[in-house]
Amino acid sequence: MAAGRAAELGAKVVLIEKNETLGKKLMITGKGRCNFTHNEFDIRKFTEKFGRNGRFLYSALSVFGAREVIDFFESRGVKGRVEQGDRIFPEKGNAQDILNVLIKYLAEGKVNILLNSEVTGFKQEKGKIFQVLLRDCQISAGKFIICTGGKSYPQTGSTGNGYQWAEQLGHTVIPPVPALNPIKTSDGWVKELQGLSLKNVSLQLFQNNKKQDERFGEMLFTHFGVSGPIVMDMSKTIGELLKNGPAKLILNLKPALDFKKLGQRIQRDFEKYKGRIF
Ligand SMILES: Cc1cc2nc3c(=O)[nH]c(=O)nc-3n(C[C@H](O)[C@H](O)[C@H](O)COP(=O)(O)OP(=O)(O)OC[C@H]3O[C@@H](n4cnc5c(N)ncnc54)[C@H](O)[C@@H]3O)c2cc1C
C-alpha cells in the first residue's frame, strides 16, 4: 500500500521483499479470508478498540480510515461484506482478491518489485538512511519506508527487523507483547474439551481476585487451551497481566440468567428431556 501510494504520488519506487512472493502474511489473515477493515466509521471509536495506545493511530486514520479502505478496494472491484463483530471481509471471502488489488496498484505505479531480496542492513548519516544493503547489492535513495511488519508468525517473513533498525536509528522501542492470539491454559481438563465451541457466553478475566476484563460472544476449546473471538480480544490484556503473575479466566455459559432463573431452566430441561442420558 505504501509503495503503491508513493508511486501514485509520482515517486520512483523499489519494493524490496525477502520472500519469494508478496503478501505471504496477508494471505493467511482472517483464516485466508482477510478481515480487511471494520464497520466503524467514527475514528475515535475505532481507535478505542486498540486500548490506550489507539490514540497513536488517530491522525493516520483521519486521512485513511475504514471508509477510505472500503472505497479503495470497491473502486478496484472488490466489495466488502460485513460479518459478525462488524468485521469486513471481501465479498467472495478470499484474501487473494485483496492481494490482487494491491499487486495491480503496484503495477499501475510501475513499482519495481525485488523478490527473494533480504535487506541485511543500511547506511545512515545523522539518523537518516541513505542506502540499504542487500546480500549482493546496495540501493541508494532519498527516502525509505520501513514496512517490515511486526514479530508474529515469523515464517511469513516478519522477523522483527524493523524494531532493530528503529533502535539503530535512535528510536526507543517498547518491547512488543503478543495480541490477538489464542491462550494456553495450565488446567489439564481444558484439553479434554478440545473442539467444543460456545456462543453467547461471557468470559471474565481476574488477577488477584480483581476483575480485569470481561467479554461476551464466541469462544472455543483447543488442544492447548482456549481460542475464538472473545479470547483473542482479551489476549493482549492477559499477556500484560501474566508479567505480574498468574491470571484466571471464569467462563459463564449462561450470562443472561441469574442463579434462580438458571436453576429453574435446568429443572425445566430435566423435566422436558427426562429419560435422556446427559
Ligand atoms: C494468523 C494471522 C491472522 C491475521 N488476521 C488478520 C485479519 O483478518 N485482519 C487484519 O487486519 N489483520 C490480521 N492480521 C494482522 C496482519 O497480518 C498484519 O497486521 C499485517 O500483515 C501487517 O502488514 P505489514 O505490511 O505491516 O507487515 P507484513 O504483512 O508482515 O509484511 C512485512 C513484509 O516485510 C518483509 N520483510 C521483513 N523483513 C524484511 C527484510 N529484512 N528484508 C526484506 N523484506 C523483509 C516480510 O517478508 C513481509 O512480507 C493477522 C495476523 C496473523 C498472524
Side-chain angles (χ1 to χ4, degrees), residues 16-19 21-26 28-37 88-89 114 117-121 146-150 152-154 156-162 165 180 232:
I16 309 166
E17 168 57 61
K18 70 176 165 189
N19 287 331
T21 54
L22 293 178
K24 216 168 170 180
K25 185 178 267 181
L26 194 150
I28 60 164
T29 57
K31 295 198 175 126
R33 299 195 308 124
C34 188
N35 164 207
F36 70 97
T37 191
I88 300 186
F89 291 86
L114 304 182
S117 306
E118 181 172 4
V119 174
T120 54
I146 300 177
C147 300
T148 43
S152 67
Y153 250 100
T156 61
S158 52
T159 44
N161 288 156
W165 298 342
L180 286 176
M232 306 274 257

Side-chain angles (χ1 to χ4, degrees), residues 29-55:
T29 57
K31 295 198 175 126
R33 299 195 308 124
C34 188
N35 164 207
F36 70 97
T37 191
H38 204 74
N39 190 30
E40 175 57 78
F41 304 110
D42 180 325
I43 299 165
R44 204 167 294 280
K45 285 191 188 149
F46 196 114
T47 54
E48 275 167 12
K49 294 182 197 300
F50 292 86
R52 267 183 303 134
N53 296 335
R55 274 174 297 170

Side-chain angles (χ1 to χ4, degrees), residues 59-78:
S59 61
L61 288 170
S62 315
V63 181
F64 203 81
R67 169 52 54 214
E68 288 75 17
V69 172
I70 293 167
D71 290 348
F72 177 86
F73 286 103
E74 249 184 47
S75 67
R76 288 165 173 82
V78 177

Side-chain angles (χ1 to χ4, degrees), residues 202-246:
S202 128
L203 194 63
Q204 296 182 332
L205 172 63
F206 282 83
Q207 188 169 56
N208 300 328
N209 294 323
K210 202 170 154 219
K211 188 156 90 175
Q212 306 285 341
D213 201 352
E214 179 170 11
R215 308 272 168 158
F216 177 83
E218 292 175 32
M219 62 165 281
L220 59 99
F221 288 90
T222 68
H223 62 287
F224 53 78
V226 285
S227 187
I230 54 173
V231 173
M232 306 274 257
D233 284 348
M234 219 182 236
S235 60
K236 183 169 180 285
T237 315
I238 296 175
E240 278 161 4
L241 292 178
L242 287 178
K243 286 186 205 157
N244 311 323

